Amino acid sequence: VLSLEDRQSFSDISIIIKMMSPYMQSRISDKFIQFIEENKDKSYQSLIDNTLPLESQELSPNTKTVLALIYRDYLCSEDERQNFILKQFEKQKRIEEEKKAKYEINFKNNQNTNQDLTSIIEYKKINIFTKLLNALKKFFLS
Amino acid sequence: MDENDIAEVIKFIDELIDVLDAFFKEYESLSDPALKLSFLESNLAIFGYFKDSLFLILLNYQFKEPDNPTQNTKSDTLRSVISKILAINDFFEHYDSFKYFKSDILDCLSKNEGDFAHKLQFDKSMPKIKIALQYFQDRDTYKRTLQENNYFEGQDLNSPSAKSYISNGYERCVLGHSLKFLRDNLNDMSLADIEEIFKYANNSPFFDDLLSKINGKLSDDDELLVTQYIEFILKLKSLFMPSKIKDDKFVQAMWNGKITNNKFLSLIAKNTPLRAFDSLMEGIPNNSDDNTLENLATHFKEHGLSYTNISYIVYEILSGNISYECIAELLAEIDLPLDFQEFTNGKHFKTFAWLITGPNPLSLLLKKGNNIKYAEKPFLPATYYVKILDRLFLEPNKDEHFLGNLYTLLRTDYFSEEEKQAIQERLDANNLNSPYKVDCQIVFEGNESYEDLCLKIKQAYSSGQTIPLSIAQNIFNSTLSVTISPDSLTLQACVQSTICNILASMGITDEYQVFFGKSNNENGYQISSPPHIWINSHLLAQFINESSLESKTKLFETISHECNHAWQDYITANGDIDFLGYNWTLENTIRQYDSNFYPNNYKKIFIESDSRKKGILGHLHFLHGLNPSFAATIRQSLEEKYFVEATTYSLSQDSKKEFAIGDTTITIDVSDYVGYLIKDNPSILTETPILNIGYHQDGSQKSIDVLLDEFEKGTYTQDSNPSNIYSIYDGLISKELANSPTIDDTLQEKIHHFKSQAPCSASMKAVQNIAESVSPEYIANLFDRMQSFTLFPKIQSKEVDTSVVVRG
């Protein structure tokens, strides 16, 4: 269910779309714009100033989210979308890990490693032919 | 012969050409002359085969074929083989069976060429014409070989085959057909095809030969060829390589007195731009600027031309787009005769008797001179004004604009102090000063009667004071709402005040002068150097006399239109222009080289269509300022007019303009055309740096890839507004895209990146930064809410729109 906050964000977004270049506007589907227009809170007095750059405006978290949705699904190119989704995935993973670190006790961290620090490491002498072969391989395969 | 036999023969011919080619490679690799000779002797049989099948070989391979690389490679090999055979003809002459080998080759070449050229008249297509023209190079190769080996000396030159070969019959026929093809198909031909014909005709030595015979009796064919050269090649040259026109062989021949045929003199002078005459005049020794006619006549007389010859040339010069300033200067040189009688009785008759011979240039000069007094062009030389002020026909009332403009001109620094003094003396002596001129500052109290107000306005205006805009608006308002009509001079003062105030509101600081006059051609014009706006006085009469509001106030549309031209020049000169302004720059560049470009394309020119639109808006805006009810009355009609203008003429529709050549026209995209001009004169890029965005130094236009890379690197930034620079790149890229059938993914990605950088308050980068700061969880939640609310269809990204339209 759409909240009042959502509808107020749609009012902000309606203004922001008009601040975009014609090219950006042309990439957003007409149905989406229609949805925004039909569901925006018409009684809400937006604080967006269409004469100022977007960077310098205070946006509500919800408006930012709608904008992110527009960016992901309409504005970016295919490459940018892959990149964006990947970043989002990593961000989500990081959040999960942070949550885990915060709320779960990781017993593994408390266990000692099994590595035998006193074991002997074998020294393999490399003969001159092996060296030469490796050099040639490097040369041809590089 | 059945098909199999023909195939066998062709196979044999093919192999024979290859064998001969291989033979010459081997032969040339030998350095010992004795060895070479013996190699030749031992392979004489191959040449025998070649000689016997020569006709068939040439029939198949003398000419190339469009889009047939196999045939064309073979044809190139054959040309190489023939020229090598011709080069060693001395060897063959020792053998009885090869005694006439060279003549046989020339005969065969000649006959086959003749047939090919003859057939062109029945199959005149561009591919065939291209082949025929390209064959000029092969002929040149053969001729050069023959000349280098002295085979065209003495007896050889008298042989029928040699005579036929050097008669240039082939060139005559092919050039004739090509130029006729050009004339008949100019409108539908591609620029590349026109260039191809132009290149061959311009470079062909054939016309040198014709030129040497031009004063004698020419055959009908030759006369037609000369005419076609002058009408087409000369004109194309003046379009594509204007700086070279003065060096053209026909122009040079005319200038140096080598042509005495009046018909051709006329034709050459008619097709030589005034710019070229200017350059030629600069080369005259002891040339003094103030005696143009005398300089011209002396130059031609020294080069042996008769009075009649000179009159034909000068008549054509005067018939062209010669400025009124120049006409006035020429008339002043001969003391402004009123008619023939006065001229023949005058002191200049002896020097300029040629002015009344031949086509009678004097009559043309006097006719054009008569129009000067309609005051269409005010900037005339001081010598002209000094002399004209003594003429009887000048009367203050009748010639009010002529004198009014002179009064205005005297307040500028156009004349030197001495010139001003000389003119003032003639004004005083002839009692031609303005009756309203006063020496004090006119002050408007605000309570004057209408008559007193008009008197004060006239006094202020005639004394060089600009009246306040509110006073001008007062006069306009009272004329439009009450039936009180001001006199013409009062209205002129109001118009001058309006123009100055509009220009000041646009930030234009140049001191624009306002002139008035009569013309059947234009409502007004604007020129930035010296800065002035001219308004047709019929608009003043219309304002006073017409009954409909729209007709009455047409004057305001013209004022806004001309002020917009001043604004266009102002921002173009500052280099801070968007893509529309970039196109004005292209048009202005062409205008400097082709005086017919503007009148031929008046409606379609972006500079004009923009001013027409701004004129309509300015008209409405000014009327609204006078009284909102005036604007409301004609709003709908003007809006409809604006709509028609905006939809008919836009950047996406009218980039192609017409250029007249001979009695026909070609259409060329202005960008392509400016490319040719830059190729001819690269200094255009230094004079107009903004054009560096779209053009390379050689005049070629930058590709989409180059444009995108340069935008990314910020190659062209200057001090311009970034959104204007973006607009130019965007316009150029969009135009290129519209002409590109396919674009690959990499380019598509680059274009997306470029488009996403369009300056706007919500830029792609800003949206991206915000998007990346949002938690994915929030996006997922919002998405779910929206879908559950409306069963919003699964959001799918829009396809990237590649059908980019050039935006106006």
Side-chain angles (χ1 to χ4, degrees):
Chain A
V1 179
L2 290 175
S3 63
L4 179 66
E5 199 187 356
D6 286 338
R7 293 179 189 280
Q8 290 179 345
S9 291
F10 293 165
S11 298
D12 289 346
I13 290 294
S14 166
I15 299 169
I16 293 171
I17 288 176
K18 291 185 183 81
M19 289 160 63
M20 292 175 179
S21 68
Y23 171 72
M24 287 167 76
Q25 288 183 28
S26 73
R27 289 178 70 88
I28 305 171
S29 97
D30 295 339
K31 277 189 178 168
F32 184 88
I33 293 175
Q34 193 185 342
F35 174 81
I36 294 287
E37 291 303 318
E38 282 171 3
N39 292 289
K40 70 182 180 187
D41 180 357
K42 293 178 182 75
S43 59
Y44 166 69
Q45 191 68 43
S46 173
L47 295 174
I48 305 288
D49 181 349
N50 63 5
T51 61
L52 293 176
L54 199 58
E55 292 94 326
S56 61
Q57 311 222 27
E58 201 67 49
L59 304 181
S60 73
N62 210 46
T63 302
K64 284 182 181 175
T65 309
V66 185
L67 213 47
L69 186 72
I70 293 175
Y71 176 76
R72 187 192 71 182
D73 290 339
Y74 297 115
L75 295 180
C76 62
S77 68
E78 207 44 57
D79 278 5
E80 286 165 340
R81 193 194 324 278
Q82 301 288 346
N83 206 10
F84 179 76
I85 291 171
L86 208 67
K87 276 185 185 169
Q88 291 273 299
F89 177 72
E90 278 166 7
K91 191 186 274 182
Q92 186 65 27
K93 219 168 103 185
R94 208 168 50 246
I95 293 169
E96 293 294 333
E97 276 167 9
E98 278 169 13
K99 276 183 185 170
K100 244 183 183 178
K102 203 170 175 182
Y103 302 116
E104 284 182 20
I105 302 162
N106 192 341
F107 292 101
K108 272 186 185 173
N109 286 346
N110 299 330
Q111 288 171 3
N112 289 328
T113 55
N114 287 329
Q115 198 180 0
D116 186 356
L117 296 173
T118 57
S119 61
I120 299 163
I121 299 165
E122 192 190 353
Y123 174 70
K124 285 181 185 169
K125 191 182 175 189
I126 304 170
N127 70 35
I128 186 73
F129 295 108
T130 317
K131 269 187 186 170
L132 198 65
L133 194 67
N134 286 343
L136 282 171
K137 269 184 188 169
K138 246 187 206 172
F139 182 77
F140 287 114
L141 299 178
S142 62
Chain B
M1 267 214 244
D2 64 17
E3 272 183 23
N4 286 338
D5 291 338
I6 293 169
E8 275 297 307
V9 171
I10 300 284
K11 196 177 162 213
F12 169 74
I13 289 171
D14 280 2
E15 282 172 7
L16 187 57
I17 294 171
D18 290 341
V19 167
L20 277 165
D21 188 40
F23 168 85
F24 276 110
K25 277 182 185 142
E26 186 69 27
Y27 174 79
E28 280 161 0
S29 72
L30 301 171
S31 51
D32 181 359
L35 218 56
K36 275 189 151 178
L37 190 63
S38 116
F39 186 61
L40 260 175
E41 282 169 345
S42 58
N43 288 291
L44 205 56
I46 312 170
F47 292 97
Y49 292 131
F50 180 77
K51 186 165 75 73
D52 294 342
S53 43
L54 188 57
F55 181 72
L56 268 178
I57 291 174
L58 289 177
L59 196 63
N60 280 286
Y61 292 117
Q62 188 173 358
F63 290 93
K64 294 182 179 169
E65 275 179 11
D67 306 322
N68 188 346
T70 320
Q71 159 87 14
N72 298 343
T73 313
K74 195 63 85 182
S75 177
D76 282 337
T77 314
L78 175 65
R79 183 191 57 215
S80 156
V81 165
I82 291 177
S83 65
K84 281 167 184 169
I85 292 174
L86 290 173
I88 55 167
N89 183 59
D90 284 350
F91 162 79
F92 293 110
E93 285 193 341
H94 294 113
Y95 296 89
D96 279 349
S97 54
F98 285 98
K99 207 166 184 178
Y100 302 108
F101 196 18
K102 182 188 71 185
S103 300
D104 288 346
I105 292 175
L106 290 184
D107 277 340
C108 264
L109 282 172
S110 204
K111 182 172 182 330
N112 213 23
E113 282 171 7
D115 287 349
F116 188 86
H118 179 70
K119 280 179 197 156
L120 267 186
Q121 65 183 304
F122 309 112
D123 179 13
K124 233 181 282 170
S125 62
M126 197 54 211
K128 283 268 177 194
I129 282 179
K130 262 188 197 174
I131 292 168
L133 288 168
Q134 280 163 1
Y135 183 70
F136 282 177
Q137 284 166 349
D138 290 10
R139 287 195 101 244
D140 279 351
T141 309
Y142 302 144
K143 272 198 204 171
R144 215 174 31 251
T145 312
L146 292 163
Q147 274 154 359
E148 279 166 7
N149 291 284
N150 298 324
Y151 293 147
F152 272 164
E153 299 292 322
Q155 283 301 309
D156 268 333
L157 194 62
N158 294 325
S159 80
S161 50
K163 272 185 181 168
S164 148
Y165 204 68
I166 60 168
S167 70
N168 290 329
Y170 176 77
E171 274 91 345
R172 174 180 290 105
C173 201
V174 169
L175 286 170
H177 291 315
S178 305
L179 290 176
K180 178 145 187 356
F181 182 80
L182 191 70
R183 183 194 174 94
D184 296 344
N185 299 282
L186 200 57
N187 276 329
D188 307 318
M189 282 172 78
S190 77
L191 212 50
D193 287 346
I194 295 171
E195 240 191 305
E196 183 92 0
I197 295 180
F198 166 65
K199 187 177 80 188
Y200 283 102
N202 183 41
N203 296 337
S204 170
F206 170 73
F207 285 106
D208 295 320
D209 185 40
L210 268 188
L211 199 50
S212 66
K213 300 185 285 192
I214 201 164
N215 293 324
K217 176 84 184 133
L218 288 179
S219 69
D220 288 350
D221 283 349
D222 284 350
E223 195 171 320
L224 185 66
L225 265 174
V226 172
T227 308
Q228 285 178 335
Y229 178 95
I230 298 167
E231 283 190 339
F232 285 87
I233 302 307
L234 210 54
K235 188 66 209 232
L236 283 170
K237 197 179 264 192
S238 71
L239 284 180
F240 297 135
M241 34 174 60
S243 73
K244 313 280 186 310
I245 187 102
K246 68 179 171 54
D247 302 320
D248 176 86
K249 41 186 160 264
F250 280 79
V251 173
Q252 277 292 324
M254 170 203 64
W255 185 248
N256 294 323
K258 300 275 188 276
I259 301 175
T260 51
N261 179 321
N262 288 326
K263 182 185 158 195
F264 290 135
L265 278 178
S266 273
L267 210 54
I268 296 169
K270 186 178 173 183
N271 287 285
T272 305
L274 283 173
R275 221 181 142 86
F277 274 108
D278 256 1
S279 308
L280 290 166
M281 292 278 289
E282 280 169 18
I284 299 179
N286 306 322
N287 176 13
S288 70
D289 282 345
D290 50 355
N291 269 316
T292 315
L293 279 181
E294 200 172 343
N295 287 336
L296 260 178
T298 312
H299 167 82
F300 284 127
K301 272 187 247 167
E302 280 171 3
H303 283 79
L305 288 192
S306 68
Y307 276 9
T308 317
N309 292 151
I310 300 170
S311 71
Y312 271 96
I313 297 173
V314 172
Y315 186 88
E316 289 304 334
I317 295 176
L318 294 176
S319 302
N321 283 328
I322 192 161
S323 68
Y324 276 112
E325 188 183 351
C326 194
I327 293 281
E329 195 175 300
L330 300 180
L331 282 169
E333 278 180 33
I334 51 173
D335 283 344
L336 273 50
L338 284 178
D339 51 30
F340 289 121
Q341 194 64 43
E342 201 178 303
F343 176 70
T344 46
N345 292 338
K347 62 177 177 181
H348 298 289
F349 174 59
K350 207 175 165 189
T351 322
F352 298 108
W354 53 270
L355 270 174
I356 55 166
T357 58
N360 205 333
L362 182 71
S363 63
L364 191 59
L365 198 56
L366 292 177
K367 194 174 154 201
K368 289 204 173 191
N370 270 342
N371 293 335
I372 291 177
K373 68 174 180 165
Y374 295 117
E376 200 178 337
K377 307 283 168 186
F379 286 89
L380 306 174
T383 46
Y384 177 81
Y385 277 118
V386 168
K387 289 179 182 176
I388 200 80
L389 291 176
D390 286 337
R391 304 310 303 202
L392 292 173
F393 68 79
L394 269 183
E395 294 163 31
N397 289 333
K398 199 174 150 201
D399 302 296
E400 57 164 337
H401 300 309
F402 184 87
L403 286 171
N405 290 347
L406 179 58
Y407 304 146
T408 307
L409 215 50
L410 282 169
R411 290 193 289 269
T412 70
D413 55 6
Y414 174 66
F415 298 123
S416 68
E417 283 309 313
E418 293 78 32
E419 286 172 337
K420 278 183 187 175
Q421 201 180 338
I423 293 170
Q424 191 55 57
E425 273 172 18
R426 301 326 305 151
L427 282 171
D428 295 341
N430 292 293
N431 199 21
L432 290 171
N433 284 307
S434 165
Y436 298 103
K437 193 179 171 190
V438 290
D439 292 328
C440 56
Q441 180 76 24
I442 301 293
V443 180
F444 294 92
E445 310 284 354
N447 54 2
E448 295 91 347
S449 69
Y450 188 79
E451 286 73 24
D452 285 348
L453 183 64
C454 288
L455 178 65
K456 276 190 170 183
I457 289 172
K458 282 184 277 196
Q459 285 173 334
Y461 176 61
S462 303
S463 313
Q465 299 164 30
T466 300
I467 63 162
L469 183 61
S470 56
I471 300 286
Q473 284 176 318
N474 188 356
I475 295 292
F476 289 139
N477 246 332
S478 50
T479 314
L480 294 174
S481 41
V482 196
T483 47
I484 302 175
S485 296
D487 57 277
S488 172
L489 194 60
T490 304
L491 202 50
Q492 283 178 39
C494 297
V495 168
Q496 190 257 354
S497 162
T498 308
I499 288 175
C500 291
N501 278 286
I502 291 177
L503 293 177
S505 72
M506 289 171 163
I508 299 170
T509 48
D510 292 336
E511 282 232 352
Y512 264 80
Q513 301 300 328
V514 180
F515 298 100
F516 299 89
K518 291 174 195 161
S519 165
N520 292 327
N521 305 320
E522 47 199 349
N523 285 330
Y525 65 81
Q526 167 276 344
I527 288 171
S528 58
S529 180
H532 66 282
I533 284 176
W534 178 92
I535 301 288
N536 194 329
S537 62
H538 86 78
L539 290 171
L540 306 180
Q542 209 167 301
F543 184 81
I544 296 166
N545 303 322
E546 286 281 338
S547 54
S548 96
L549 184 66
E550 195 174 339
S551 301
K552 268 179 119 58
T553 55
K554 172 86 183 156
L555 173 66
F556 301 144
E557 188 176 322
T558 302
I559 289 174
S560 303
H561 180 117
E562 301 310 336
C563 287
N564 188 61
H565 281 318
W567 177 77
Q568 288 170 336
D569 280 353
Y570 176 71
I571 61 160
T572 310
N574 292 334
D576 203 2
I577 44 174
D578 60 4
F579 188 54
L580 178 62
Y582 181 85
N583 277 277
W584 299 338
T585 311
L586 294 178
E587 290 172 345
N588 276 330
T589 306
I590 299 173
R591 203 173 168 185
Q592 289 173 34
Y593 289 88
D594 184 359
S595 56
N596 292 318
F597 168 70
Y598 217 80
N600 286 354
N601 296 285
Y602 184 78
K603 279 269 171 191
K604 289 179 179 177
I605 280 176
F606 300 132
I607 299 172
E608 284 304 328
S609 58
D610 178 63
S611 283
R612 284 198 296 272
K613 281 186 275 186
K614 302 284 170 56
I616 298 168
L617 294 180
H619 184 177
L620 211 49
H621 181 74
F622 191 75
L623 267 186
H624 191 267
L626 288 181
N627 184 336
S629 70
F630 292 154
T633 314
I634 59 169
R635 184 182 196 106
Q636 197 184 346
S637 154
L638 289 188
E639 274 177 357
E640 279 166 12
K641 203 170 151 186
Y642 183 89
F643 180 76
V644 170
E645 192 62 54
T647 48
T648 316
Y649 304 104
S650 67
L651 275 179
S652 57
Q653 292 168 36
D654 296 320
S655 56
K656 290 198 168 183
K657 305 283 188 282
E658 288 182 350
F659 294 86
I661 294 172
D663 53 3
T664 178
T665 55
I666 49 169
T667 41
I668 311 176
D669 184 287
V670 286
S671 306
D672 292 339
Y673 185 57
V674 170
Y676 284 108
L677 293 175
I678 294 171
K679 190 176 170 189
D680 178 61
N681 178 14
S683 68
I684 291 174
L685 289 178
T686 326
E687 290 153 13
T688 323
I690 198 98
L691 295 180
N692 283 292
I693 295 182
Y695 293 94
H696 292 289
Q697 289 295 313
D698 64 356
S700 59
Q701 290 177 64
K702 291 179 182 169
S703 65
I704 302 178
D705 267 318
V706 174
L707 288 166
L708 289 167
D709 287 347
E710 290 193 351
F711 178 78
E712 200 56 32
K713 289 180 197 153
T715 306
Y716 188 91
T717 49
Q718 300 284 344
D719 295 326
S720 307
N721 178 340
S723 66
N724 280 344
I725 294 292
Y726 180 88
S727 158
I728 296 175
Y729 276 103
D730 190 30
L732 291 171
I733 289 167
S734 302
K735 195 172 170 186
E736 281 291 301
L737 278 174
N739 297 325
S740 308
T742 52
I743 44 171
D744 60 29
D745 289 349
T746 322
L747 188 59
Q748 184 69 67
E749 188 64 30
K750 280 167 102 177
I751 291 167
H752 166 75
H753 179 65
F754 167 77
K755 294 274 181 187
S756 68
Q757 295 181 72
C760 56
S761 43
S763 69
M764 186 75 97
K765 193 75 201 157
V767 177
Q768 186 187 352
N769 287 340
I770 291 167
E772 284 175 355
S773 73
V774 175
S775 160
E777 212 176 352
Y778 291 173
I779 304 178
N781 288 342
L782 173 74
F783 189 74
D784 286 346
R785 288 203 301 281
M786 285 166 72
Q787 271 197 317
S788 66
F789 176 70
T790 58
L791 292 177
F792 195 72
K794 195 173 184 300
I795 298 171
Q796 280 181 337
S797 178
K798 241 183 160 183
E799 285 288 309
V800 176
D801 185 9
T802 53
S803 58
V804 185
V805 181
V806 182
R807 284 197 300 276

